[in-house]
Amino acid sequence: ELGRDEIAERALLDGLALSPSDVDLLCAYAELCAANNQVDKAEKLVQRAAAEQPHAPVVYAARIQVAYARGDDRTAQRISREFVAAYPENPAAHALLGSTSAMRGQVGAAYAGMRQAAAAAPTEQAFAESALDLQIARHPLMLPLRPILRFGPLKTWIVAVVLIFGLRQIGLPVLSALVAVSWLLFCVYSWVVPPLVRRWVRRRWR
């Protein structure tokens, strides 16, 4: 948690030397490896943990983290659903389902998952804040901004730039200009509307 990954790895290896089948240690090491782009190593560690306790909550969580590190949002969401089905009262399971759904741009499912997590763990402020953020994202005025939520601002910007200059290159300057103006209006909308929606939803949330 302090970002001292080398010390963390040494401690985990020392622990596993004493208890090589410890599921918590295996999954913690897997998550550390996944966070450092050692995804193949992380997956092998999770497999070892799953061989010991295939349905342990910590194993579900580690499998989700590894899938996410691979960029496989679909698999991460599927495992999250399995986690919720196995542990319907576990707030972490609902939170992970909310997070993986959000990564896939499924705002409604993301909000439902995070709301369940917040209800199951009312003292966990992070769950409540995430539920509020997703409630804001579900507002009708935020619908035009879903591409940014799904793909991120950088990818959305790249697509817009490629489209604008691509249309110009193939001899459609008028259409290119219309797309450029639309993109500019979209940018202004993305700057102005979210703060107003956030203020409105927060007022009602209280």
Side-chain angles (χ1 to χ4, degrees):
E1 291 177 355
L2 294 172
R4 300 172 183 171
D5 291 351
E6 292 182 5
I7 297 175
E9 183 176 28
R10 184 70 265 163
L12 288 165
L13 288 171
D14 289 345
L16 287 168
L18 295 171
S19 183
S21 299
D22 188 289
V23 172
D24 290 327
L25 290 174
L26 288 168
C27 289
Y29 193 19
E31 292 184 5
L32 179 65
C33 291
N36 285 277
N37 298 316
Q38 297 176 323
V39 184
D40 291 336
K41 185 176 180 180
E43 189 161 13
K44 290 177 183 177
L45 288 162
V46 171
Q47 288 172 356
R48 283 175 57 187
E52 298 293 331
Q53 297 182 38
H55 301 298
V58 68
V59 173
Y60 279 112
R63 288 174 62 205
I64 293 165
Q65 294 297 329
V66 172
Y68 174 72
R70 281 200 180 281
D72 191 350
D73 296 347
R74 185 184 297 273
T75 298
Q77 187 184 42
R78 176 180 58 77
I79 298 170
S80 299
R81 290 198 180 104
E82 294 173 3
F83 191 5
V84 168
Y87 296 92
E89 304 301 322
N90 190 311
H94 289 286
L96 285 168
L97 179 56
S99 298
T100 55
S101 298
M103 287 186 292
R104 301 199 65 208
Q106 299 173 3
V107 180
Y111 172 68
M114 205 59 72
R115 185 180 60 182
Q116 289 282 354
T123 59
E124 186 60 55
Q125 190 64 27
F127 293 162
E129 286 293 328
S130 295
L132 175 58
D133 288 340
L134 288 164
Q135 173 74 348
I136 293 166
R138 290 175 70 239
H139 194 279
L141 289 175
M142 297 293 286
L143 187 61
L145 303 179
R146 290 287 174 85
I148 294 178
L149 180 65
R150 175 65 180 91
F151 302 107
L154 180 60
K155 289 183 180 179
T156 308
W157 176 79
I158 290 173
V159 169
V161 170
V162 169
L163 184 60
I164 291 167
F165 284 97
L167 289 170
R168 184 178 298 176
Q169 288 295 320
I170 63 174
L172 297 171
V174 175
L175 187 56
S176 174
L178 288 173
V179 173
V181 170
S182 298
W183 171 247
L184 178 61
L185 293 174
F186 177 82
C187 290
V188 172
Y189 189 94
S190 70
W191 299 331
V192 174
V193 172
L196 296 176
V197 173
R198 177 176 291 274
R199 188 178 303 171
W200 169 254
V201 172
R202 277 188 178 276
R203 187 179 300 170
R204 294 186 62 191
W205 185 277
R206 291 170 186 167

